[in-house]
């Protein structure tokens, strides 16, 4: 897409541009002396340098699109400069941080009843999520931020975000959990949310040709990236606007 020639007219000291397009796209951007002249001295980074291809452990398989979406939208980062660790379990703190970033990292005040929020990087996200009814604790005084998030937990968290933060309404048929061999293993507190989530954003886990819910299984980083990416696209179809830029 072309960038309007006056789009950056107020940026008098533009140093860096991260452009979600190719070099060829950028070459077609029109800038003029009285408009986007700041581009001339800025350091330009193109999307082909900002994709999940930078990670040595990310393959072009079923999870690539989700990982690439979450990385390029800065919802998820690598565990270091070269690795994404797609098979690593996602923690409860990490999924909350992802949704906090998706919401624009709003300012927070107040606190929670949780006494185990020991790291500063996730504390604001947990406070925000708790106050907006996105998460609850693992007990009255604990959140267990470093514990892996299970597939049924992430189903609840994502649906709480959909209903309580986005304030959207159900427009789909609920999944029948009894169609899965382990449908009766979904915890009672998670059943309603998993009926929603399994119908739209969470795929079953196929083992030897049989599809399971695997409700207490840990959600890996590649699974979470796929769920979040699909959630954003699905919510867009309901919401009518891009969640990341709402």
């Amino acid at each position: 897409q072309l960038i309007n020639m006056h789009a950056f007219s107020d940026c008098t000291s533009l140093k860096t541009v991260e452009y979600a397009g190719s070099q060829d796209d950028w070459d077609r951007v029109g800038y003029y002396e009285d408009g986007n002249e700041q581009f001339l001295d800025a350091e330009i980074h193109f999307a082909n340098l900002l994709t999940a291809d930078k990670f040595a452990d990310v393959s072009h398989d079923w999870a690539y699109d989700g990982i690439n979406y979450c990385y390029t939208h800065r919802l998820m980062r690598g565990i270091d400069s070269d690795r994404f660790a797609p098979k690593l379990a996602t923690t409860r703190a990490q999924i909350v941080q992802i949704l906090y970033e998706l919401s624009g990292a709003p300012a927070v005040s107040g606190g929670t009843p949780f006494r185990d929020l020991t790291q500063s990087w996730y504390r604001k996200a947990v406070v925000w999520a708790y106050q907006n009814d996105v998460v609850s604790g693992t007990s009255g005084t604990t959140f267990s931020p470093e514990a892996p998030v299970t597939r049924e937990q992430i189903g609840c968290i994502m649906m709480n975000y959909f209903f309580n933060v986005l304030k959207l309404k159900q427009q789909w048929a609920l999944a029948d959990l009894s169609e899965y061999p382990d449908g009766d293993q979904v915890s009672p507190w998670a059943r309603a949310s998993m009926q929603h989530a399994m119908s739209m954003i969470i795929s079953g886990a196929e083992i030897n040709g049989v599809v399971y819910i695997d409700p207490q299984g840990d959600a890996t980083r590649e699974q979470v990236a796929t769920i979040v990416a699909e959630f954003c696209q699905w919510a867009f179809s309901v919401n009518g606007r891009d969640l990341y830029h709402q």
Side-chain angles (χ1 to χ4, degrees):
Q1 293 181 346
L2 292 180
I3 297 178
N4 182 280
M5 73 176 197
H6 295 295
F8 291 88
S9 58
D10 293 329
C11 300
T12 58
S13 58
L14 189 64
K15 300 298 183 184
T16 304
V17 174
E18 295 183 356
Y19 180 61
S22 67
Q23 174 76 61
D24 290 340
D25 292 335
W26 184 257
D27 288 343
R28 291 194 292 271
V29 171
Y31 52 83
Y32 301 87
E33 291 184 0
D34 63 342
N36 292 335
E37 61 182 351
Q38 291 87 346
F39 288 146
L40 297 173
D41 298 319
E43 182 180 358
I44 313 299
H45 299 278
F46 299 104
N48 63 319
L49 302 177
L50 298 169
T51 67
D53 289 330
K54 68 168 288 184
F55 298 116
D57 57 356
V58 171
S59 303
H60 279 256
D61 58 11
W62 63 270
Y64 178 83
D65 288 344
I67 294 172
N68 192 54
Y69 180 92
C70 287
Y71 176 66
T72 57
H73 286 79
R74 299 191 174 188
L75 300 176
M76 298 180 73
R77 300 171 177 82
I79 62 170
D80 58 35
S81 61
D82 299 316
R83 295 178 300 159
F84 184 80
K87 305 297 184 184
L88 196 67
T90 307
T91 67
R92 287 168 53 82
Q94 287 170 345
I95 183 59
V96 168
Q97 183 69 31
I98 290 169
L99 295 181
Y100 180 61
E101 297 288 349
L102 182 60
S103 295
V108 298
S109 61
T112 74
F114 309 133
R115 300 174 183 171
D116 57 352
L117 305 182
T118 59
Q119 300 295 319
S120 60
W121 69 264
Y122 59 68
R123 192 172 292 119
K124 287 183 179 179
V126 175
V127 171
W128 166 84
Y130 176 76
Q131 293 179 348
N132 285 277
D133 296 321
V134 176
V135 298
S136 55
T138 53
S139 77
T141 57
T142 59
F143 180 72
S144 304
E146 303 298 337
V149 64
T150 65
R151 287 167 56 83
E152 65 180 4
Q153 286 176 354
I154 199 171
C156 291
I157 290 169
M158 299 303 292
M159 296 318 304
N160 286 344
Y161 182 82
F162 182 88
F163 290 119
N164 300 334
V165 176
L166 299 182
K167 307 294 185 183
L168 299 179
K169 298 183 181 298
Q170 175 187 340
Q171 298 181 18
W172 57 90
L174 298 180
D176 183 357
L177 302 185
S178 67
E179 294 180 352
Y180 298 89
D182 57 348
D184 60 347
Q185 296 179 25
V186 176
S187 300
W189 51 265
R191 294 190 68 82
S193 291
M194 286 299 283
Q195 285 180 297
H196 290 292
M198 291 298 296
S199 68
M200 298 301 295
I201 59 171
I202 296 182
S203 300
E206 185 173 337
I207 303 174
N208 297 325
V210 180
V211 178
Y212 295 85
I213 297 175
D214 190 22
Q216 284 83 44
D218 296 343
T220 64
R221 283 168 57 80
E222 64 183 358
Q223 289 174 342
V224 168
T226 299
I227 289 170
V228 170
E230 292 184 356
F231 176 85
C232 290
Q233 297 170 28
W234 165 61
F236 173 80
S237 69
V238 177
N239 192 31
R241 63 182 186 272
D242 182 358
L243 292 188
Y244 191 70
H245 296 98
Q246 63 179 329

